[in-house]
């Protein structure tokens, strides 16, 4: 699930997942299965895209409809942005009126599949050449429950001008978190309002997903192999300790608003030396004329690791004809000739290695500073587990992170509470 400057708290969005179970019970009265009208199957798409993303998906819909006369996709969008899509779909399931396809964040998929109206696409999609992160994000309990829609990775973007002004060498792949914290301190200039780096500080998913690469790098995980307890209890305090050091050094800008929008504005305004972000931020950085570079995230172990937050095209069961038509559409979107258009115009990384090898992507990557770094990072990218308990684990860890960022708790105390709360949730059968 990408984190594209959400307009509202991701925690608010994730809380809506609790209603999905009830929605599944009510969804039995779903829309009538209109097999076809005049030989054409109508597919309703709620995509939630705006601006360039909307223009890109609209163009693809038009092309699909032109080349598939037996199917007509209607891309009205759903009346909400992608950040509010889970709430919209959940309400639709409860009311018995829901789309055939919706744009759903990967971290929300597992909770949504509690509804029997989410189609099982196992064996129906061509995913062999997709990056592992894309495949993992749509797989729930061993079954393919959606099609990959958008792929990203988390890397470190830095301001070359601020590095030069501080007399610091540019960061390089393989640098450590100790290197990062000391560099952030040297970049910080309170007199000029310059921060070394920043972190979202509201406890939402944007706050949390940046910590997982640090935990994975230290040998931890979100949950244990058997899924009965969390697996960040031994290393979480060390990861939070890095944030605490940044706070103590006063080199960290803590964004008080959801979505990280202020954090990015500080960077775009030339007052932040480094920011962890995804490829979606590059167009704004280029537009603002920031002289920037991109490097992989720092590491504790010396082995590169990052996170990908893929989004999905989730298909809903409004009858066999509609599921078949909707599946054909999302399969078509994932093919290289369509994927490349979505990647370049909509801001995704290539869903597959085949797309990444196309001349069009090679040209696009060569024209965009640092884009190749984000693609290369997919080789070591992991995704959050597709389990229904994840939203609650994220909420508890988010609260722990904020308590450290604000100096209200020590890393040890903060992680201890998050572990206890999360294990309590995992102890209850989903």
């Amino acid at each position: 699930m990408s984190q594209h400057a959400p307009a509202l708290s991701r925690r608010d969005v994730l809380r809506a997942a609790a209603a999905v179970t009830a929605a599944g019970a009510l969804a039995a009265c779903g829309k009538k299965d209109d097999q076809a009208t005049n030989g054409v199957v109508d597919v309703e798409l709620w995509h939630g895209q705006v601006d360039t993303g909307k223009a890109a998906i609209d163009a693809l819909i038009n092309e699909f409809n032109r080349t598939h006369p037996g199917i007509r996709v209607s891309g009205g969008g759903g009346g909400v942005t992608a950040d509010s899509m889970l709430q919209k779909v959940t309400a639709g399931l409860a009311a018995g009126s829901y789309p055939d396809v919706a744009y759903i964040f990967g971290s929300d998929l597992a909770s949504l599949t509690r509804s029997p109206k989410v189609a099982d696409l196992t064996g129906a999609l061509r995913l062999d050449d997709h990056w592992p992160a894309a495949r993992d994000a749509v797989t729930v309990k061993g079954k393919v429950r959606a099609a990959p829609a958008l792929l990203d990775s988390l890397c470190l973007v830095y301001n070359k001008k601020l590095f030069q002004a501080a007399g610091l060498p540019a960061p390089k792949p393989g640098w450590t978190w100790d290197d990062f914290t000391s560099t952030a301190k040297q970049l910080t200039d309170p007199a000029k309002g310059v921060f070394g780096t920043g972190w979202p500080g509201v406890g939402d998913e944007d706050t949390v997903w940046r910590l997982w690469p640090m935990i994975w790098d230290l040998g931890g995980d979100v949950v244990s192999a058997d899924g009965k307890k969390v697996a960040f209890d031994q290393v979480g305090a060390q990861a939070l300790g890095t944030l605490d050091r940044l706070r103590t050094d006063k080199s960290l800008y803590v964004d008080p608003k959801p979505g990280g929008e202020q954090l990015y504005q500080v960077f775009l305004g030339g007052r932040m030396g480094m920011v962890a972000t995804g490829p979606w931020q590059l167009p704004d950085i280029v537009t603002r004329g920031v002289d920037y570079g991109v490097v992989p995230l720092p590491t504790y172990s010396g082995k590169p690791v990052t996170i990908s937050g893929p989004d999905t095209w989730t298909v809903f069961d409004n009858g066999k004809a509609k599921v078949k038509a909707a599946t054909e559409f999302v399969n078509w979107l994932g093919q290289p000739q369509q994927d490349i258009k979505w990647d370049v115009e909509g801001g995704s990384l290539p869903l597959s290695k085949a797309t990444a090898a196309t001349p069009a992507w090679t040209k696009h990557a060569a024209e965009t500073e640092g884009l190749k770094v984000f693609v290369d990072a997919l080789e070591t990218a992991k995704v959050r587990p597709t389990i229904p308990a994840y939203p609650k684990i994220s909420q508890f860890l988010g609260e722990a992170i904020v308590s450290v960022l604000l100096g209200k708790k020590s890393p040890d105390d903060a992680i201890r509470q998050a572990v206890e709360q999360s294990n309590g949730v995992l102890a209850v059968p989903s």
Side-chain angles (χ1 to χ4, degrees):
M1 156 219 102
S2 60
Q3 306 299 323
H4 301 221
L8 57 111
S9 168
R10 289 285 287 130
R11 188 185 303 166
D12 291 337
V13 175
L14 292 168
R15 281 174 178 162
V20 173
T21 303
L26 293 170
C29 58
K31 295 189 296 185
K32 180 181 179 181
D33 178 17
D34 295 323
Q35 295 293 323
T37 303
N38 297 324
V40 177
V41 179
D42 290 314
V43 172
E44 184 179 359
L45 170 68
W46 291 358
H47 58 69
Q49 303 299 303
V50 297
D51 302 328
T52 55
K54 182 180 185 302
I57 193 63
D58 285 348
L60 286 166
I61 290 170
N62 290 337
E63 176 65 12
F64 179 85
N65 288 340
R66 185 184 68 81
T67 56
H68 296 74
I71 304 171
R72 182 172 56 245
V73 178
S74 173
V80 295
T81 63
D83 303 288
S84 301
M85 189 61 71
L86 179 64
Q87 295 155 305
K88 175 80 172 183
V89 169
T90 299
L93 288 169
S97 180
Y98 43 89
D100 301 302
V101 185
Y103 189 92
I104 299 295
F105 291 142
S107 55
D108 296 331
L109 181 62
S111 293
L112 200 59
T113 57
R114 288 172 168 174
S115 167
K117 288 301 178 180
V118 176
D120 185 347
L121 303 183
T122 304
L125 299 179
R126 296 185 288 274
L127 303 178
D128 290 348
D129 192 50
H130 281 51
W131 295 98
R135 296 198 302 268
D136 292 347
V138 299
T139 303
V140 181
K141 296 182 178 179
K143 295 183 178 181
V144 177
R145 303 309 303 273
L150 181 144
L151 191 61
D152 58 18
S153 64
L154 194 66
C155 291
L156 202 289
V157 181
Y158 64 95
N159 184 313
K160 292 182 178 180
K161 182 178 179 180
L162 291 180
F163 268 75
Q164 292 168 357
L168 296 170
K172 297 180 179 180
W175 63 324
T176 68
W177 280 104
D178 282 340
D179 295 333
F180 177 84
T181 52
S182 62
T183 298
K185 185 175 183 179
Q186 294 175 76
L187 286 166
T188 300
D189 188 343
K192 296 182 179 179
V194 173
F195 294 87
T197 189
W199 201 283
V202 295
D204 57 9
E205 183 61 20
D206 197 29
T207 305
V208 175
W209 83 307
R210 300 159 187 266
L211 197 75
W212 292 127
M214 302 167 74
I215 287 173
W216 291 328
D217 190 19
L218 289 166
D221 209 337
V222 182
V223 295
S224 59
D226 60 11
K228 294 182 178 179
K229 60 182 180 179
V230 297
F232 53 84
D233 52 324
Q234 300 298 315
V235 300
Q238 184 175 346
L240 288 182
T242 298
L243 300 188
D244 195 44
R245 179 178 164 188
L246 292 166
R247 178 194 65 83
T248 303
D249 289 344
K250 303 186 186 305
S251 59
L252 185 68
Y253 174 83
V254 179
D255 192 339
K257 293 187 176 182
E261 185 63 26
Q262 289 191 187
L263 181 154
Y264 291 129
Q265 289 303 318
V266 174
F267 182 83
L268 292 173
R271 295 191 297 111
M272 183 180 293
M274 306 177 289
V275 64
T277 189
W280 66 84
Q281 201 66 39
L282 295 185
D284 286 343
I285 294 172
V286 172
T287 299
R288 291 289 288 271
V290 178
D291 187 10
Y292 72 96
V294 182
V295 290
L297 294 178
T299 175
Y300 295 106
S301 67
K303 299 177 181 179
V305 63
T306 189
I307 187 169
S308 180
D311 297 337
T312 77
W313 296 118
T314 301
V315 175
F316 297 87
D317 188 353
N318 281 303
K320 292 181 179 179
K322 284 180 171 287
V323 169
K324 182 180 179 180
T327 302
E328 184 172 348
F329 173 62
V330 298
N331 234 334
W332 180 85
L333 285 177
Q335 295 170 9
Q337 55 268 42
Q338 285 74 243
D339 183 27
I340 185 63
K341 297 177 183 177
W342 175 242
D343 298 337
V344 173
E345 299 171 25
S348 176
L349 296 179
L351 292 176
S352 67
K353 295 181 180 180
T355 304
T358 61
W361 176 262
T362 301
K363 180 177 183 293
H364 177 60
E367 293 171 347
T368 307
E369 171 75 24
L371 191 54
K372 184 177 183 299
V373 180
F374 286 103
V375 177
D376 291 345
L378 291 172
E379 295 283 2
T380 61
K382 300 180 65 174
V383 298
R384 293 153 289 190
T386 50
I387 56 174
Y390 179 78
K392 294 298 294 184
I393 295 173
S394 173
Q395 176 185 334
F396 297 140
L397 186 58
E399 292 168 353
I401 294 171
V402 172
S403 69
V404 171
L405 291 175
L406 299 181
K408 294 182 176 181
K409 287 185 179 178
S410 69
D412 286 324
D413 289 342
I415 207 68
R416 186 180 302 113
Q417 181 173 336
V419 167
E420 291 174 355
Q421 292 171 318
S422 299
N423 283 342
V425 171
L426 290 170
V428 179
S430 60

